[in-house]
Amino acid sequence: MTFDASARTVIERCEILGSYSEEPDRLTRRFASKAMQQVNEKVKTWMYAAGMTVEQDNIGNLIGRFEASHVGAKTLLLGSHLDTVRDAGKYDGPLGVMIALACVERLHARQVRLPFAIEVLAFADEEGLRYNNAYLGSKFMTGTLDPNVLHLTDIESITMAEAIRSFGGNPDPESLHIARWRSDALLGYCEVHIEQGPVLEARNLPVGVVTAISGQNRLNVSFSGEAGHAGTVPMSLRHDALCAAAEFVLSVETLAHSIPGVVATIGQVSVQPGASNVIPGIVTLSLDVRHQENKVRELVKDRLEEMAREICDKREVLLEWQLLQEHKTIPCALALTKLLEQAIEELNYPLLSLPSGAGHDGVTFSELTSIAMLFVRCRGGISHNPAESITVEDVDVALQVLEQFMLLLSTKNDLNE
Ligand SMILES: [Zn+2]
């Protein structure tokens, strides 16, 4: 089979999976939903046809296993997620599963076995839409799922434990700390994913190698001034919380612009009391700061706090600075990443390395094994949106790179150590 034919199949399958949705007019596929059941059934049949044994684990992840050339060999993990956000595109997640599947299919067609087994993983939940808790699938597989999440409820008050049971799984809290694999039985985890950003497109490149999954901070920043009558309080006597917040918003943008690689976003603003004739008394902002180096991210976060305090002091507004979340940067493993780079160079494509600003299941797998990621260009850098779009040509390149990566990995002599 040519790479081009395989690439077309990958895109066709993403289209088919994209037709299974919980909502009639848009693509939404939450954890343990009927639409997830349908895509799992579909993917199972493709996995069987590609010579794999297939199993659905107790949380609903699919695992297709393609045995090695010899017994006792290690396992390479490939894969991505099959759940989506609300009103999603067709490629964020499914593309990585379909490319991994196509690579195995190509080996199977040529009756080739590698000196390591391949497991194609299709995670039941990465986006965390149903229970507002990301990476459920990979956490379950790596034995790091917190048993307390089983009590979380969705918008219909269905607990996660009930959802797992009705999906045919078993939410046994005792089993949650058991990883599917031992670290020494694995070669690593490699995920192909759409870039979700515009860098590859701007450089006119089909694929890029991910250096790290950037760390991030999420904060809640609140400015408390003094509400008052819009007509009677003179400008010189005001303590307008929104004006303080506005000054801060622009300082965030200026600082982020001045340091390469920093991205900082204020995506939510609430103004109280929120009337057209009242001076804003309290403004609350969300703040999201990311950078691929922990040190830089921490410096930026601290500098932003100083700036917010300076603004508030000047305006006699009270500041509340609350750190909600801190995720450290997860570097991709050097050895696997080098093989991806070598594969790209041997195929004569230009090499570009870039960090991932978005989180991925590799974050979870990094606790168990080496991780690597390959990004595929997506039109306009758009993701989490029905306008997500990729080309057959780029999928063709991604398939070639992943296949070459596996062939290079086969030549390593430390496979059985
Ligand atoms: Zn994704």
Side-chain angles (χ1 to χ4, degrees):
M1 204 191 301
T2 63
F3 281 108
D4 179 66
S6 295
R8 281 175 202 283
T9 304
V10 164
I11 295 211
E12 271 166 32
R13 287 174 174 169
C14 288
E15 298 269 337
I16 293 170
L17 298 182
S19 68
Y20 295 108
S21 172
E22 293 178 67
E23 298 182 288
D25 306 322
R26 54 184 188 172
L27 174 52
T28 303
R29 209 162 49 229
R30 293 176 307 160
F31 172 65
S33 60
K34 186 164 172 254
M36 276 303 294
Q37 195 94 56
Q38 289 167 320
V39 296
N40 273 7
E41 288 311 313
K42 241 342 189 224
V43 175
K44 265 182 214 170
T45 61
W46 295 330
M47 283 176 163
Y48 282 126
M52 288 185 261
T53 53
V54 187
E55 122 185 36
Q56 184 168 313
D57 72 11
N58 266 329
I59 203 169
N61 296 309
L62 275 189
I63 303 132
R65 183 174 172 89
F66 189 69
E67 290 298 343
S69 52
H70 61 281
V71 183
K74 291 188 181 184
T75 300
L76 173 70
L77 306 176
L78 302 175
S80 195
H81 58 97
L82 292 180
D83 68 316
T84 72
V85 293
R86 180 160 285 122
D87 199 12
K90 299 186 196 95
Y91 304 104
D92 177 346
L95 178 72
V97 183
M98 293 304 106
I99 286 188
L101 173 67
C103 278
V104 171
E105 209 162 36
R106 297 174 55 79
L107 293 171
H108 181 61
R110 301 201 302 270
Q111 297 188 320
V112 173
R113 294 279 167 172
L114 299 178
F116 49 83
I118 299 167
E119 288 196 0
V120 176
L121 311 177
F123 304 118
D125 180 293
E126 187 268 350
E127 304 282 8
L129 182 61
R130 184 162 180 182
Y131 290 99
N132 203 14
N133 201 300
Y135 309 142
L136 291 182
S138 53
K139 281 181 179 168
F140 179 79
M141 281 190 169
T142 54
T144 54
L145 189 64
D146 177 356
N148 290 320
V149 300
L150 294 172
H151 307 300
L152 294 176
T153 50
D154 68 2
I155 46 166
E156 288 147 330
S157 303
I158 300 171
T159 65
M160 191 188 294
E162 287 172 71
I164 292 171
R165 234 174 265 120
S166 65
F167 201 68
N170 175 14
D172 171 16
E174 293 300 303
S175 70
L176 292 185
H177 62 279
I178 303 166
R180 178 177 164 84
W181 312 268
R182 278 178 27 194
S183 292
D184 59 6
L186 293 176
L187 290 177
Y189 169 79
C190 182
E191 177 167 351
V192 178
H193 201 281
I194 56 167
E195 182 201 344
Q196 300 184 269
V199 177
L200 292 171
E201 187 173 72
R203 302 281 194 96
N204 197 23
L205 295 172
V207 294
V209 178
V210 178
T211 50
I213 299 172
S214 292
Q216 56 172 284
N217 282 119
R218 290 201 191 170
L219 301 108
N220 207 30
V221 186
S222 166
F223 299 84
S224 301
E226 201 172 3
H229 195 290
T232 60
V233 184
M235 295 309 286
S236 60
L237 297 179
R238 292 186 182 199
H239 303 289
D240 185 323
L242 182 58
C243 290
E247 197 177 333
F248 177 67
V249 171
L250 293 179
S251 319
V252 170
E253 190 194 30
T254 306
L255 184 72
H257 260 301
S258 70
I259 305 167
V262 170
V263 284
T265 308
I266 288 155
Q268 291 173 320
V269 180
S270 106
V271 180
Q272 287 170 41
S276 63
N277 60 350
V278 181
I279 301 162
I282 299 175
V283 172
T284 309
L285 306 175
S286 65
L287 173 61
D288 178 311
V289 181
R290 306 186 192 203
H291 191 270
Q292 65 166 325
E293 281 173 46
N294 291 319
K295 235 203 212 132
V296 176
R297 175 178 45 78
E298 279 159 23
L299 275 173
V300 169
K301 183 193 63 171
D302 292 347
R303 178 66 194 124
L304 287 176
E305 184 177 356
E306 278 170 30
M307 286 159 72
R309 293 209 181 278
E310 284 160 19
I311 292 166
C312 287
D313 285 351
K314 188 179 67 185
R315 293 175 170 273
E316 293 180 40
V317 164
L318 211 69
L319 177 74
E320 222 182 295
W321 186 266
Q322 190 191 8
L323 182 64
L324 299 177
Q325 249 185 45
E326 175 147 9
H327 290 300
K328 293 210 178 329
T329 292
I330 305 292
C332 289
L334 213 57
L336 290 182
T337 301
K338 278 213 159 90
L339 288 186
L340 275 178
E341 291 173 353
Q342 194 184 336
I344 290 173
E345 281 175 333
E346 286 180 7
L347 293 162
N348 289 319
Y349 294 106
L351 186 62
L352 179 79
S353 300
L354 72 172
S356 171
H360 295 285
D361 285 301
V363 171
T364 315
F365 273 92
S366 66
E367 291 177 33
L368 183 74
T369 189
S370 306
I371 64 158
M373 282 193 81
L374 181 74
F375 273 168
V376 181
R377 165 168 54 187
C378 55
R379 195 173 68 201
I382 294 169
S383 70
H384 286 190
N385 185 311
E388 257 173 35
S389 176
I390 55 171
T391 64
V392 175
E393 292 76 19
D394 290 354
V395 174
D396 184 322
V397 175
L399 278 169
Q400 291 183 53
V401 171
L402 190 61
E403 188 167 302
Q404 187 66 9
F405 163 81
M406 291 199 289
L407 295 178
L408 288 169
L409 189 59
S410 306
T411 64
K412 293 273 158 200
N413 49 15
D414 52 359
L415 290 178
N416 296 315
E417 275 168 19

